[in-house]
Structures are given as structure tokens and as C-alpha cells.
Amino acid sequence: MSSESLEFVTVVDTELLGTPGAHSAYLLETPAPVLVDAGAAPAADVVEATLHDRGVGADDLAAIVPTHVHLDHAGAVGELAARFPNATVYVHERGLPYLTERERLERLAASARRAVGDAVADQYGTPTLLPESRTDPIGDGDVVPCGDRELDVVHAPGHAPHQVALVDPVSDAAFLGDAAGMRLGGELLPTTPAPDFDLDASLDTVARLRDRGPEALCYGHFGVREDATAALDAYAELLPEWVDAVRTAIDEVGADDRDRLVARLREDWASPTLERDVHGVVHAIESDA
């Protein structure tokens, strides 16, 4: 794929946890502009500024599409919807209540706190509740209009049951969220948080995305990779290796001493989300037992 085919896509660095290169949203500069993902709640200012810099005024944004409702991807959706009043928020039907209902939103925040710890969760900020009237629920096979094309919605569970990927049939770019891992510092890494990580569902999602034949992958963490088939094949190999590594470490040191378990795995798996991802795999193993 030539870089010219993605000239309509602007990578928006949401500066997650104050760190450049940790999370990317995407502005699709089509006749009806679309924002894919939004970042954590504190990202609203930087995302808004980027959109204005690209010529997208307050009344111009047509849609906001969180790939899933984890707070690092969707925490800023409610605030951005208020700042861009003509934007429809398209969100998977299972995730929608977690953005529109106060009790569910608080439950989501509590789940994030358990997954990433108090210090990180505090930096995710407090999301603004999204009016349900601003939303349109989506599911597998639906489309999101953006003026001169429609983005195909692909249900993409495994990382989260409310996750979707979006495939642009014009450029053959796929906007993944966390459906095919993280690409941080040029390295492909697993992303397996509790309580929803499911290995089989993840591998099925990767296979279905590969069948769509994308040429570029737009990761939530972080940026664009243009060797899509190789990247999807690599994640399909990496993810079972990661789960097997956790199983082996459990056999060696046990699952109860989480600090020792993480330390054992850190010898071979350097990831900024290692502790969270270990917990997710352990949770999945114990749930299947």
C-alpha cells in the first residue's frame, strides 16, 4: 500500500497517561468526518485541538466511533460529543449502556481500577455521561457512513465483547482498537485484560479480520502498520505463545503470588501493561477451570 492511500487519515496522539505514542485515535477526513476512538477523559482537549487544526469545526464532525468502551479508548467520548454537537456516536450495542447510564459507567470505572490499579485509573479521569439520544448502536455487518464511503463494522470480541473493528473498503485500512494486539515502540505485544480476555474469541477475530484482506492496520496502541497480513499472522502466533508462557509460569511459581508471577514473566515479556495482561490470562484460566 502506498502512503498516499491513507492521506485521508490523521493519527491523533491522545497522550494517554501523559505519554506520547501510547494511544492513537484516528480522524478520517472524509466529506462527513469521522473520529475513531477518543482516548481517556483527559484527552478531550488535545483531540479537539487536533480536529480544529485539521479544519474540522465544532459543527463539522459527523461521527465518533469508539472501537470499545474501555476508558483508554472511550473515556473522552461524552465530552467530545458535547463539543461536537452534530456527531452521532456509533458504539457496539453491548457497550452502549456503559457510556449512557451512570451506574454502568461507574461499574466500568471500577473494573478499570481493578485492572490497572488506582494510580493509573486516576489518570484516566472521570468520563462525561453521554446522552443516549446522541447514539446509534452498531453490530457486526452494519456500516458507519462518512460521506463518500461507508465503513464496514466487524464485531471483534476477545479483548472485549463490545469491541468492533472498522474496515474502509476504499483504502483497505482496518481500524482495530485492541483486536490484534498493541504496536508499541515498533514491537507487537499482547493485550489481554481481565475480565473479558478470551483466547479463542481473539484468534477467531484475527482470522476474520485477515479474511477481509486489509492492507493497513490502524492500532489503538499505536499508529499504522502497512503489512497487514504479516501483522495479523504474527499476532495469531504471538497470542497463544503468551498464554502458554503464563501457564508455564503458573506451574513454576503458582498463581497466588502475583508479584512473583509477573516478575518471572518480565524476564521474557517486556510490556508496559504486563501486570494487567498477566491478570487477564490468569482470570481466563481460572474461569475455564
Side-chain angles (χ1 to χ4, degrees):
M1 166 178 286
S2 67
S3 59
E4 288 81 3
S5 62
L6 283 181
E7 286 183 348
F8 75 102
V9 176
T10 293
V11 179
V12 183
D13 189 339
T14 69
E15 300 178 10
L16 179 65
L17 307 179
T19 305
H23 176 265
S24 45
Y26 294 90
L27 172 63
L28 280 59
E29 298 181 61
T30 50
V34 173
L35 179 69
V36 179
D37 278 338
D45 289 342
V46 68
V47 173
E48 179 186 33
T50 302
L51 267 58
H52 288 334
D53 286 346
R54 299 300 301 174
V56 179
D59 295 330
D60 298 330
L61 189 66
I64 302 171
V65 191
T67 55
H68 56 301
V69 301
H70 289 168
L71 295 183
D72 54 336
H73 292 256
V77 166
E79 181 61 30
L80 288 170
R83 298 184 189 188
F84 294 88
N86 293 330
T88 299
V89 178
Y90 295 88
V91 58
H92 189 268
E93 54 199 0
R94 288 187 63 173
L96 189 151
Y98 291 93
L99 300 182
T100 62
E101 299 176 13
R102 175 61 62 189
E103 182 179 351
R104 296 275 189 103
L105 186 58
E106 291 174 352
R107 193 185 310 169
L108 183 66
S111 178
R113 191 167 293 276
R114 289 192 297 271
V116 302
D118 290 343
V120 172
D122 287 344
Q123 294 181 71
Y124 280 178
T126 302
T128 298
L129 199 65
L130 176 68
E132 188 172 357
S133 61
R134 296 288 304 279
T135 69
D136 192 347
I138 52 176
D140 194 65
D142 289 338
V143 296
V144 174
C146 48
D148 60 352
R149 69 196 73 188
E150 293 179 328
L151 303 175
D152 296 332
V153 176
V154 180
H155 187 211
H159 174 85
H162 44 73
Q163 182 170 240
V164 299
L166 302 171
V167 179
D168 171 30
V170 177
S171 68
D172 288 324
F175 301 86
L176 299 174
D178 291 337
M182 302 185 293
R183 177 180 174 269
L184 296 175
E187 184 176 2
L188 189 63
L189 298 168
T191 175
T192 58
D196 295 318
F197 168 64
D198 184 303
L199 175 61
D200 291 338
S202 293
L203 293 175
D204 179 68
T205 287
V206 171
R208 287 186 293 108
L209 288 170
R210 192 185 189 286
D211 288 345
R212 294 298 302 258
E215 294 190 24
L217 303 181
C218 301
Y219 290 86
H221 310 276
F222 176 90
V224 180
R225 183 169 169 174
E226 296 191 6
D227 57 340
T229 298
L232 291 169
D233 286 348
Y235 196 60
E237 293 180 6
L238 175 71
L239 199 54
E241 291 176 359
W242 162 240
V243 173
D244 286 345
V246 177
R247 289 184 183 276
T248 298
I250 290 173
D251 290 341
E252 293 175 355
V253 305
D256 294 335
D257 189 340
R258 199 61 53 83
D259 290 341
R260 189 177 175 204
L261 182 63
V262 170
R264 170 64 185 84
L265 286 156
R266 199 177 297 281
E267 297 173 11
D268 299 310
W269 296 84
S271 169
T273 60
L274 184 66
E275 184 173 358
R276 180 206 69 175
D277 294 326
V278 169
H279 176 62
V281 176
V282 172
H283 182 274
I285 291 171
E286 292 177 343
S287 296
D288 290 340

